[in-house]
Every structure is written in structure tokens, then in C-alpha cells.
Amino acid sequence: MKKILVFILTVSFALLSCTQKESSRIEFALGTVCVVTLYDNAHDKIYNDIFLRLREIENRMSVNIPSSDVSRINSAAGIKPVLVNEDVFMVIERAKYFAEISNGAFDPTVGPLVSLWGIGSDEQRVPPLSEIEKAVNLINWRNVELNAEAKSVYLTVQGMALDLGAIAKGYAADEAALIAINAGVKRAKIDLGGNVILIGEKTDKTPWKVGIQNPGEERGSVLGIVQITPSLQSPFTKTIVTSGVYERFFEENGKRYHHIFDPSTGFPSYNGLLSVTIITNNSMDADALSTAVFVLGYEKGNALLESFPETEAVFVFDDRSAKTTADANFIFF
Ligand code: AMP
Ligand code: MG
């Protein structure tokens, strides 16, 4: 369904571009709908370069592509180190950092758990406890060995598997923004399935407004908005990234099983939070943090955020109430 919609939108934009410059380009990449909007300098070449890079990142980091660097690392778990591209190495290095500072709440080795539950796939189900336990025992970011000189990655235990689903989209958004900025774009919005980067000022100079999904309602229904006012910093960029229970889930016997796991239990994380939105400067960090804080819960998550300057958050709870950090400009509807 999603794919059909994207196809229709892509076609309609393609038709539009025969007569005028593209105002946006929408494509399905990185497992999500990617919308890039260049408000000035909107040349086809810039759009092409951005989407080429997004696909390159997907081809290197997706676990669903057998030839990707990450799939090759996973196939060689317990056997041998694998040489990878520099960007893949850097993202895994950063993922290990977030695993360490979140005490494993964020852990890029959740791969076995992600495939076991199959959330979002045709095989999604509540797995037997014994299998959950087996998968949990394979999760340990400390068993990811990095060799910076060789640019190789080794998972030391057979059966281990990396999954960069909680950080790669953020990295991809940063890369897309960099391409736009280096090409002279002064105003743009990059939205990779809710992983948003804003560049510069809006045309009408009013603050950017980014909606926060109402986690219990259908997609597009917003609980409130975050307002972002561009500062004098040049080039101005801000990122807004949300992790929530509504992204991918299934329901069984009235219980919702979503896609963000607590690596210590092997179950989707339940701690009273429905979503966490992070507002900061770097989208890769925001992506990792949104997942980490979501799993850590409100108190521990908030404490972790204190060590990140210029980082704000909006927490949405089970009863749809929200709390924010001091300087988050969130307006409740
Ligand atoms: P996000 O939407 O950024 O919070 O990322 C969720 C995705 O990251 C899931 O679909 C999994 O692929 C993966 N994932 C799930 N739980 C975790 C976790 N605790 N740490 C790291 N990655 C996770
Ligand atoms: Mg994330």
C-alpha cells in the first residue's frame, strides 16, 4: 500500500518536473518514505545526488540486502573479521558508543531479536520464551570488535547479528543535508520517515513547525508541534527524530508488540513511554538517542540527555500526556 502511494507520488512529481522545477522528491529508500524538499537551488542534480547517496547507504547498511557490509559482517559472525566501507565502520563505532553510555539499552547487536519477532514482516509473532532467551544471550555490543586500521568489523560469537535500524536513518539524513549544503542550498527539509533535518529559514521567516505523531491515532494525526526558530548559526540545521510504538507493531490479545526492544528482556520495551522525540544538531546522534532514551524510560533517559548540550526532548506517555526538557518549544494540541 505504502509502496503504491509512493509510486503515485513519484510519478506525479515526475510529471510536474516536465513543466517546472521539482519542489520535492519522494522515494522509498532505507525501508521508509523519504521526502526531500529543496526550497532554493532545487536542481535535479542535487536531488539525484542525495538519493544516490541514500541508496548507497542502504546498500551498505541494510540487513535485508545480502551483499551489504552489515549482512557480510553477520554472515561471518564467529568466523572472521570483515572489511567494510569507512562510513559503515564509523556508524558502527558510534553505535557502540551509544550502547556503552546507555548501558546497553541501545544495542546494535539486537539483530537476532529483530529477526526472531519479525515485527512488520509476514512472520511476526510472539516467539517462545526459550527462543527469546537464546536471542537475548547473543546480544552484547562488547562482542563487536573494531579494527580502525584495517577498517574491519568482527562479531566474536556465532549467531550474533548487527542491526543498524536505530541509527542508520539518522546518519543518512546527515549525509543528505551535507550534500544539499555543499551544493549551496540554503533552505531545505529532509524527512526520512520521520527522521527530519531542517536547513535554514522557512520562506516566510516563521518558525519551522514539526508535528509529533499522536501514538495511539492513525498516521498523520498529531499530538502537538515542535517549533524551531533558526538561529544565526550558519548554515543553520536542526534535526528532530522520534522513536515510537506506532512505527511498526502488531496486536495480539489486546496487547501491542512494537519494534523497539529492551535488550535485557527480549520483549518490546514497556515503561510507560509511547514515544520520545529528540531535537538537536546531529541526526545520527538524535536517532541513536531517541531509541536509547525510549528504552531507558523517562528518568534514566532524561539523566542521559543531561550530558548532551543543545539537545532537547519531548516524552509522550501511555495516557497521552507529555513532558519536555526545559528548552523544547513544544505546543500541545
Ligand atoms: P528507531 O525507530 O530509531 O527507534 O529504531 C528502531 C529499530 O532499531 C528497530 O526496527 C530495530 O531494527 C532496531 N532496534 C530495536 N530495538 C533496538 C535497541 N534496543 N537498540 C538498538 N536498535 C534497536
Ligand atoms: Mg533511533
Side-chain angles (χ1 to χ4, degrees):
M1 175 60 200
K2 220 187 231 173
K3 278 189 183 157
I4 295 172
L5 177 71
V6 175
F7 176 73
I8 294 168
L9 287 171
T10 310
V11 171
S12 58
F13 276 105
L15 290 174
L16 246 179
S17 66
C18 299
T19 50
Q20 61 187 76
K21 267 191 193 169
E22 276 176 292
S23 54
S24 276
R25 191 180 286 187
I26 307 177
E27 287 185 23
F28 197 83
L30 297 154
T32 193
V33 180
C34 300
V35 187
V36 175
T37 309
L38 307 177
Y39 295 102
D40 63 356
N41 229 349
H43 297 298
D44 277 357
K45 177 168 184 330
I46 306 176
Y47 281 112
N48 292 344
D49 288 350
I50 288 173
F51 278 94
L52 265 177
R53 180 71 180 124
L54 296 183
R55 290 192 191 286
E56 184 172 63
I57 293 168
E58 180 175 18
N59 286 332
R60 290 176 183 175
M61 301 189 194
S62 168
V63 285
N64 301 316
I65 298 174
S67 60
S68 76
D69 290 17
V70 171
S71 295
R72 290 189 300 109
I73 295 168
N74 292 347
S75 305
I79 304 170
K80 59 174 193 299
V82 169
L83 298 179
V84 297
N85 281 286
E86 209 159 325
D87 49 6
V88 176
F89 189 88
M90 193 272 289
V91 171
I92 296 173
E93 204 170 31
R94 198 71 181 148
K96 274 189 80 174
Y97 165 75
F98 280 103
E100 182 169 11
I101 63 162
S102 70
N103 232 332
F106 171 99
D107 192 318
T109 64
V110 287
L113 210 51
V114 175
S115 16
L116 179 65
W117 283 79
I119 293 179
S121 76
D122 294 340
E123 278 100 50
Q124 56 189 12
R125 54 158 191 156
V126 181
L129 279 177
S130 59
E131 288 187 41
I132 293 181
E133 204 182 319
K134 240 194 266 165
V136 166
N137 287 335
L138 287 167
I139 301 174
N140 190 347
W141 58 272
R142 289 185 181 83
N143 293 336
V144 181
E145 280 185 9
L146 298 179
N147 181 329
E149 239 163 64
K151 291 279 175 303
S152 71
V153 182
Y154 179 44
L155 306 182
T156 61
V157 181
Q158 201 155 18
M160 276 181 78
L162 285 174
D163 180 313
L164 300 181
I167 189 168
K169 260 197 288 170
Y171 172 70
D174 286 330
E175 286 290 289
L178 202 63
I179 291 171
I181 290 167
N182 287 342
V185 172
K186 299 277 187 294
R187 290 178 295 123
K189 180 175 180 178
I190 289 151
D191 182 347
L192 311 185
N195 205 307
V196 176
I197 295 192
L198 306 167
I199 302 172
E201 275 185 311
K202 268 175 68 192
T203 325
D204 62 6
K205 313 261 185 223
T206 58
W208 293 98
K209 295 182 180 65
V210 179
I212 293 196
Q213 169 75 30
N214 187 334
E217 300 292 321
E218 60 186 74
R219 203 167 262 268
S221 150
V222 293
L223 187 79
I225 52 165
V226 173
Q227 284 208 85
I228 308 277
T229 311
S231 66
L232 292 174
Q233 166 208 333
S234 180
F236 170 81
T237 61
K238 223 28 165 201
T239 184
I240 296 117
V241 179
T242 301
S243 284
V245 299
Y246 55 88
E247 263 316 314
R248 249 180 296 140
F249 65 88
F250 68 94
E251 280 171 338
E252 204 176 279
N253 300 326
K255 193 160 173 62
R256 178 178 288 208
Y257 297 95
H258 62 78
H259 72 139
I260 306 170
F261 296 102
D262 181 341
S264 66
T265 65
F267 278 79
S269 163
Y270 301 109
N271 54 25
L273 283 172
L274 293 183
S275 73
V276 172
T277 299
I278 302 288
I279 304 138
T280 186
N281 302 322
N282 178 290
S283 205
M284 172 167 60
D285 288 3
D287 195 1
L289 275 176
S290 70
T291 310
V293 171
F294 183 89
V295 176
L296 283 172
Y298 178 67
E299 264 93 33
K300 285 188 191 158
N302 224 349
L304 176 68
L305 290 176
E306 272 165 25
S307 49
F308 287 85
E310 291 183 60
T311 302
E312 302 298 331
V314 178
F315 305 85
V316 177
F317 299 92
D318 278 341
D319 60 358
R320 312 276 188 278
S321 65
K323 281 189 185 159
T324 71
T325 51
D327 293 327
N329 192 347
F330 177 67
I331 301 167
F332 225 137
F333 280 175

